[in-house]
């Protein structure tokens, strides 16, 4: 039987968590690294499970850690755990394959964005429910961005006002995401990129500072501090 959360929910959340965490430095898969004494994945899943729209959660775990991840998450929420792939995109595809056809909305949410709040999950789900085929949370870009060529020579300055930093969860009509994955050729770092390539309109909604991605050691320090914000 498929593990269910809210039976009336219309959302499956796919959580790619199979990455190595190379940029975080030595210490094992990133999703299992500790933040305030608990694995990042536990922080992420607790927040996903608290969103009322969520009927099902599928985690793509490192192949060697599938049983350990299932045991780790069992006390946190009902979760389906699958073995992830070599690329993030493959991990998402494997998780998507575990979602039954009667769930109309799929969200893809990086375990590395462990502090993304339930309200963000709900706002993405609501935008898809209202008829948008693909919805992403974004923040304005704060740094000035330069185009740089060979020899580290600056070619130009990009107009920052048209740029956005993209977060997860990204939300999709499940059939739209499935078609985009089925037609994918090159691996991309986000799922909206795949559906864009398929010609589907992607809509931006406001992201959250709490949905920052934990990538490098300093990000763990920042996340630890965010946990203390009342
Ligand atoms: N991910 C995955 N399968 C992969 C690679 C990445 O499920 N083969 C997941 C990661 O676990 C993470 C998310 O995709 O939750 C975003 O990837 P990233 O932040 O790059 O994490 P890692 O790949 O683990 O980190 P790094 O690139 O530093 O090794
Ligand atoms: Mg990676």
């Amino acid at each position: 039987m498929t593990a269910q959360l809210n039976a009336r929910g219309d959302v499956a959340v796919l959580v790619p968590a199979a990455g190595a965490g190379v940029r975080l430095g030595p210490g094992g898969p990133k999703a299992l690294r500790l933040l305030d004494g608990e694995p990042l994945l536990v922080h992420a899943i607790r927040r996903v499970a608290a969103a009322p729209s969520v009927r099902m959660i599928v985690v793509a775990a490192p192949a060697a850690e599938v049983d350990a991840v299932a045991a780790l998450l069992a006390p946190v929420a009902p979760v389906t755990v699958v073995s992830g792939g070599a690329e993030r995109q493959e991990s998402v595809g494997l998780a998507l394959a575990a979602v039954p056809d009667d769930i109309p909305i799929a969200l893809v949410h990086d375990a590395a964005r462990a502090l993304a709040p339930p309200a963000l999950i709900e706002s993405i789900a609501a935008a898809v429910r209202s008829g948008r085929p693909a919805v992403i949370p974004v923040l304005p870009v704060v740094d000035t961005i330069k185009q740089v060529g060979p020899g580290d020579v600056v070619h130009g300055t990009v107009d920052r006002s048209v740029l956005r930093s993209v977060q997860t969860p990204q939300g999709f009509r499940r059939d739209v995401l499935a078609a985009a994955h089925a037609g994918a050729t090159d691996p991309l770092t986000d799922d909206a990129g795949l559906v864009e390539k398929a010609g589907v309109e992607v809509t931006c909604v406001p992201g959250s500072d709490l949905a920052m991605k934990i990538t490098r050691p300093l990000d763990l320090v920042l996340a630890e501090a965010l946990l203390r914000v009342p």
Side-chain angles (χ1 to χ4, degrees):
M1 214 193 84
T2 307
Q4 276 205 343
L5 286 103
N6 179 2
R8 283 202 297 273
D10 56 1
V11 173
V13 182
L14 318 177
V15 183
V22 171
R23 288 169 290 177
L24 206 49
K30 180 158 66 180
L32 300 178
R33 299 284 286 270
L34 301 185
L35 171 66
D36 198 30
E38 288 186 304
L40 292 179
L41 186 57
V42 170
H43 287 278
I45 296 302
R46 193 180 292 128
R47 287 163 176 77
V48 171
S53 294
V54 176
R55 193 195 308 177
M56 179 186 197
I57 301 172
V58 187
V59 173
E65 309 286 348
V66 171
D67 291 343
V69 164
L72 175 72
L73 296 177
V76 181
V79 167
T80 302
V81 183
V82 301
S83 183
E87 303 280 350
R88 179 187 180 281
Q89 188 168 305
E90 202 184 329
S91 296
V92 173
L94 289 163
L96 183 59
V99 177
D101 286 349
D102 68 338
I103 300 184
I105 298 174
L107 265 55
V108 184
H109 181 38
D110 290 335
R113 296 185 189 272
L115 303 184
L120 182 64
I121 292 158
E122 286 301 309
S123 89
I124 299 289
V128 178
R129 198 176 291 125
S130 76
R132 307 287 188 171
V135 180
I136 58 174
V138 304
L139 291 177
V141 171
V142 290
D143 291 318
T144 296
I145 307 284
K146 302 283 187 194
Q147 276 176 328
V148 179
D152 290 334
V153 174
V154 171
H155 282 193
T157 303
V158 181
D159 175 10
R160 193 171 64 188
S161 70
V162 298
L163 300 179
R164 301 289 182 273
S165 280
V166 178
Q167 304 180 318
T168 75
Q170 300 188 349
F172 306 91
R173 268 187 16 220
R174 191 195 49 75
D175 59 336
V176 166
L177 183 64
H181 268 266
T185 46
D186 306 319
L188 297 178
T189 53
D190 85 334
D191 300 275
L194 281 183
V195 309
E196 275 163 60
K197 275 194 166 180
V200 176
E201 186 173 271
V202 178
T203 306
C204 298
V205 301
S208 164
D209 288 331
L210 290 170
M212 47 110 29
K213 184 152 80 84
I214 296 165
T215 305
R216 291 171 293 212
L218 193 59
D219 299 324
L220 273 176
V221 178
L222 178 57
E224 196 96 41
L226 284 172
L227 276 177
R228 308 272 170 257
V229 175

